[in-house]
Amino acid sequence: DVKVTQSSRYLVKRTGEKVFLECVQDMDHENMFWYRQDPGLGLRLIYFSYDVKMKEKGDIPEGYSVSREKKERFSLILESASTNQTSMYLCASSLTGARGYGYTFGSGTRLTVV
Amino acid sequence: AQSVTQLDSHVSVSEGTPVLLRCNYSSSYSPSLFWYVQHPNKGLQLLLKYTSAATLVKGINGFEAEFKKSETSFHLTKPSAHMSDAAEYFCVVTPTGTASKLTFGTGTRLQVTL
């Protein structure tokens, strides 16, 4: 089974801190995604990457950046954390052409910014 | 552009009674549609998918959904609810034939009572 591993299950950070959320997948998937999940809003796409060093903005990229130096790893960076970035963050990966059913999600990182 | 609307944020049923979770979609392209389930403190799991083959789609755990183009709907049903079905359910759309991002609905929380 494909595994998508997010490095932390819970994180508490202070306002203004630089925060790194890490995601690693073990099945050589080309595509990787970062979503944010909030009650009543569902999942919203922050950034995605379809290849190493390639990235594209999703629907809510403001306040975030990403890094993909290796195929298996996709990092989400909060340059200066703010309280409105308190949320559940989900990473996913897929093969090119998977059309949705090949997406595998990690278990999520619940980030609290105080 | 693509979007999905989940018509109910919360549905409550008694164990053993039918389940109906409603989803309407909008897509400029021929869509692929999915239902994902998220149990408490767990990652997202694919329940079923429609990718332009049979319009009645069967998924795991006795769930099924019917793609109705004329009504732009993709409602999720199950004949008899089980306590273990209590979870949050997401309707998801993506254009067929691409590896592009998934667009999520806002979710429906299913409660199952004795």
Side-chain angles (χ1 to χ4, degrees):
Chain A
D1 280 353
V2 177
K3 289 258 189 314
V4 176
T5 304
Q6 295 184 230
S7 54
S8 304
R9 186 77 178 97
Y10 298 96
L11 273 180
V12 180
K13 297 292 181 180
R14 295 194 181 278
T15 301
E17 273 194 77
K18 189 169 186 176
V19 181
F20 293 85
L21 302 184
E22 306 287 346
C23 175
V24 176
Q25 50 95 2
D26 66 359
M27 281 298 288
D28 206 33
H29 282 181
E30 294 89 359
N31 305 314
M32 296 188 75
F33 308 81
W34 275 106
Y35 286 87
R36 170 177 172 159
Q37 182 178 11
D38 298 290
L41 296 177
L43 277 74
R44 294 176 291 166
L45 182 66
I46 305 171
Y47 267 97
F48 65 105
S49 167
Y50 50 88
D51 202 351
V52 175
K53 297 192 186 294
M54 306 300 287
K55 61 185 179 185
E56 286 197 26
K57 293 180 180 179
D59 300 318
I60 52 162
E62 297 78 18
Y64 303 94
S65 62
V66 290
S67 172
R68 192 163 181 206
E69 297 295 319
K70 293 185 178 181
K71 193 174 186 178
E72 67 271 18
R73 186 179 295 272
F74 192 36
S75 302
L76 180 69
I77 304 157
L78 287 66
E79 295 289 344
S80 177
S82 64
T83 54
N84 63 13
Q85 293 178 309
T86 291
S87 187
M88 171 70 87
Y89 291 87
L90 290 167
C91 176
S93 72
S94 76
L95 287 168
T96 295
R99 292 190 288 173
Y101 50 85
Y103 288 65
T104 301
F105 285 85
S107 297
T109 296
R110 186 167 294 281
L111 173 67
T112 302
V113 182
V114 299
Chain B
Q2 58 193 30
S3 66
V4 287
T5 301
Q6 292 185 243
L7 298 167
D8 306 292
S9 60
H10 184 260
V11 170
S12 182
V13 301
S14 299
E15 191 175 33
T17 64
V19 175
L20 170 64
L21 305 183
R22 298 182 295 164
C23 173
N24 288 121
Y25 71 90
S26 172
S27 178
S28 304
Y29 305 92
S30 178
S32 292
L33 291 155
F34 313 87
W35 279 96
Y36 279 81
V37 60
Q38 186 180 38
H39 288 94
N41 299 313
K42 296 283 179 66
L44 283 154
Q45 181 184 17
L46 180 66
L47 207 53
L48 52 78
K49 62 183 185 287
Y50 166 77
T51 56
S52 75
T55 56
L56 182 61
V57 180
K58 294 189 186 299
I60 60 172
N61 300 333
F63 284 93
E64 62 181 39
E66 186 171 8
F67 174 73
K68 291 187 177 180
K69 188 174 181 179
S70 60
E71 299 176 11
T72 61
S73 69
F74 190 60
H75 301 333
L76 181 70
T77 61
K78 184 174 181 178
S80 176
H82 191 272
M83 294 297 289
S84 61
D85 294 328
E88 187 144 26
Y89 293 79
F90 293 96
C91 183
V92 181
V93 65
T94 190
T96 298
T98 72
S100 61
K101 57 193 169 96
L102 306 178
T103 299
F104 283 76
T106 52
T108 298
R109 183 163 296 280
L110 176 65
Q111 181 182 16
V112 182
T113 58
L114 287 171

